[in-house]
Amino acid sequence: MKQLTIFTPTYNRGYILGQAYESLKNQSDKNFIWIIVDDGSTDNTEELVQKWKEDKIIKIEYIKQENQGKHIAHNTAVLNCKTEYLLILDSDDFLNKEAVKILNKEAKRISDLQNISGIIGNR
C-alpha cells in the first residue's frame, strides 16, 4: 500500500506542469500517488494529464473542479487523500530523483510518533 500522496494544485499551468511530471516519473521510488486538482483550467492541462495517465509510469488521480481558488483545491486534495502522508508540490516545482525514497524512509522511521501535523526539512 502506498503511504505518500503528492498533491499538485493547478490552474491553466499546462505549459509548466510537465516539469513536475518529469520529476515524478523519474523518482527512484515510485511508491506514491500523484493527485492533481485542476481548479477549472481552460488550457490543455486535462489532455496532458490524460496522456500521462495512459503512460502508466506513476499512479495519477486527476480531479477537475469548478474554479474556486487554490485554498479550495488544497481542501479537495485532503478530502481525496487516502494515504498517511501528503506532500504539496506546486505546478511549477519539481523534486530530485531521490526525494520520494527519502520521504518514505523517514515516514517509516517516525511512524511510532503520534500527533504529528507536519514535517519540515531543509532544502
Side-chain angles (χ1 to χ4, degrees):
M1 179 175 151
K2 298 188 186 306
Q3 65 179 9
L4 175 66
T5 295
I6 299 173
F7 154 60
T8 300
T10 190
Y11 176 72
N12 288 338
R13 305 283 282 177
Y15 69 94
I16 193 75
L17 190 59
Q19 173 179 274
Y21 173 65
E22 288 296 318
S23 79
L24 293 175
K25 77 175 192 175
N26 291 322
Q27 289 298 302
S28 62
D29 180 350
K30 292 185 176 53
N31 188 19
F32 65 91
I33 299 167
W34 189 23
I35 293 180
I36 301 166
V37 177
D38 183 341
D39 196 41
S41 293
T42 58
D43 66 357
N44 65 335
T45 298
E46 187 169 3
E47 291 79 19
L48 286 170
V49 174
Q50 291 306 322
K51 180 187 173 303
W52 298 336
K53 286 178 73 171
E54 290 169 10
D55 291 343
K56 296 182 181 182
I57 297 171
I58 59 174
K59 177 151 178 52
I60 300 173
E61 293 181 13
Y62 178 73
I63 301 166
K64 186 161 187 176
Q65 64 185 26
E66 177 183 324
N67 182 265
Q68 301 172 74
K70 189 175 181 179
H71 62 293
I72 301 297
H74 279 249
N75 292 343
T76 299
V78 169
L79 290 171
N80 286 276
C81 180
K82 299 172 192 81
T83 62
E84 191 171 358
Y85 297 98
L86 177 70
L87 171 73
I88 300 167
L89 178 71
D90 279 335
S91 56
D92 60 348
D93 286 342
F94 57 92
L95 299 174
N96 78 44
K97 69 179 188 167
E98 300 297 318
V100 170
K101 179 180 176 182
I102 293 166
L103 288 166
N104 280 329
K105 178 182 174 188
E106 289 302 307
K108 287 178 187 168
R109 187 176 68 80
I110 64 167
S111 65
D112 293 337
L113 302 176
Q114 296 181 9
N115 301 320
I116 294 177
S117 62
I119 299 171
I120 298 173
N122 292 332
R123 182 181 172 153

